[in-house]
Amino acid sequence: MPGLRVAVIHSDDHHHRYLESLLRSRFTVPLVVVEPESEKIRALRRRRKYRDWAYSVYHRRRRRLTGKNRYRRNYFAGHPLPPPDGRTLRLHVPSANAPEAEAALRLARPDVTVIIGCSVLKARIIRAAGPRMVNVHGGLLPYYRGNHCFFFALHHGRPDRVGSTIHHVTTGVDAGPVIETVRPPMTGTETAEQLYCRAERLAIHRLLAHLQRLEEGTELPATPQPASVGRTYRTRDRGPSHDMIHWLRRTRTRLRPRRPRTP
């Protein structure tokens, strides 16, 4: 498939722009649709989903105050977005499901559409995206769907279920067939944020390798997910009490005296 055409739908986090930059440096990218995080949060309030809105505001402030935003920005700072070149339409929308996003996808006619960090897409957007739509999900499928997957895997004492997943997009939350799962290197002392950044960068580079093989004529893998396994986590499922418990556990682990090795 020479001259692979790749459309991108993402939010505005640092690793989202990192993915866009790498795709634009390697493939023809006729369209980028950006759904800002601030717009997603405002939409929750407009739709009177006040609990979801409050938790989204809490997590946004928590990340800023704890330095996690700064850490992620520095981690993905190596590939800034290229300047506008007239070949890529970069469209900012209040929602990834907006009519203008659907119309732009139909005009772009991509061979594959890559999404990361955006809202759950409606069926009409998936149809407009063309023959293939792929998501980079920050969680190990099928066990952890939705949000805060790295946090909950560690919170549950399941480091073996820490990782990111590249998968085909279908209707539903992170429900499509799996292309590849990626696990970050671990020593046991990392935070969820550190592991998330490692895994997402690895997954992004693995995605580029898959797309290069697709361009050369090899179709993307597709392993169905078992429907009865795993759970979907929402933003509101992680509150201040979860963060406090997790912090206390990590503090006790760091302060616990190590036993001397037996000679």
Side-chain angles (χ1 to χ4, degrees), residues 2-142:
L4 192 71
R5 292 171 59 83
V6 182
V8 190
I9 306 175
H10 64 68
S11 190
D12 55 353
D13 209 336
H14 307 292
H15 58 308
H16 304 160
R17 291 188 288 270
Y18 179 84
L19 169 60
E20 178 189 339
S21 176
L22 291 181
L23 288 172
R24 289 173 63 181
S25 70
R26 175 61 184 83
F27 303 101
T28 299
V29 179
L31 174 67
V32 177
V33 177
V34 181
E35 178 191 45
E37 182 70 20
S38 58
E39 292 289 345
K40 290 193 286 187
I41 294 175
R42 290 191 193 102
L44 292 172
R45 192 168 187 176
R46 286 196 302 269
R47 291 154 55 195
R48 298 184 179 181
K49 293 190 173 184
Y50 296 122
R51 187 182 177 195
D52 293 302
W53 170 79
Y55 275 92
S56 295
V57 171
Y58 160 71
H59 285 298
R60 197 175 196 191
R61 292 177 178 174
R62 173 188 60 80
R63 291 187 53 78
R64 184 175 65 249
L65 292 173
T66 58
K68 290 181 170 59
N69 282 346
R70 182 173 62 254
Y71 178 87
R72 190 175 298 184
R73 181 183 65 244
N74 293 337
Y75 195 90
F76 290 99
H79 286 267
L81 287 176
D85 55 10
R87 296 180 298 176
T88 300
L89 171 63
R90 206 162 187 272
L91 181 67
H92 284 72
V93 293
S95 167
N97 292 297
E100 53 266 40
E102 179 182 358
L105 283 167
R106 293 190 185 278
L107 287 174
R109 300 180 65 183
D111 299 308
V112 58
T113 300
V114 175
I115 70 172
I116 184 171
C118 64
S119 300
V120 177
L121 298 177
K122 295 182 178 179
R124 57 182 175 81
I125 300 294
I126 298 173
R127 288 193 299 268
R132 304 171 190 84
M133 179 175 268
V134 175
N135 180 34
V136 180
H137 166 61
L140 195 68
L141 297 179

Side-chain angles (χ1 to χ4, degrees), residues 157-225:
R158 295 305 304 261
D160 57 314
R161 293 182 177 177
V162 167
S164 293
T165 306
I166 309 166
H167 69 95
H168 295 272
V169 176
T170 59
T171 54
V173 180
D174 303 321
V178 171
I179 297 172
E180 184 178 353
T181 56
V182 177
R183 290 176 172 85
M186 302 176 63
T187 65
T189 61
E190 297 91 349
T191 64
E193 177 64 28
Q194 291 169 329
L195 293 173
Y196 179 84
C197 289
R198 288 181 193 176
E200 288 291 275
R201 186 162 67 180
L202 286 170
I204 287 170
H205 285 271
R206 291 300 303 149
L207 171 62
L208 263 69
H210 282 290
L211 293 179
Q212 183 171 344
R213 286 195 289 271
L214 177 63
E215 189 175 54
E216 295 167 354
T218 301
E219 193 51 66
L220 298 173
T223 303
Q225 294 188 53

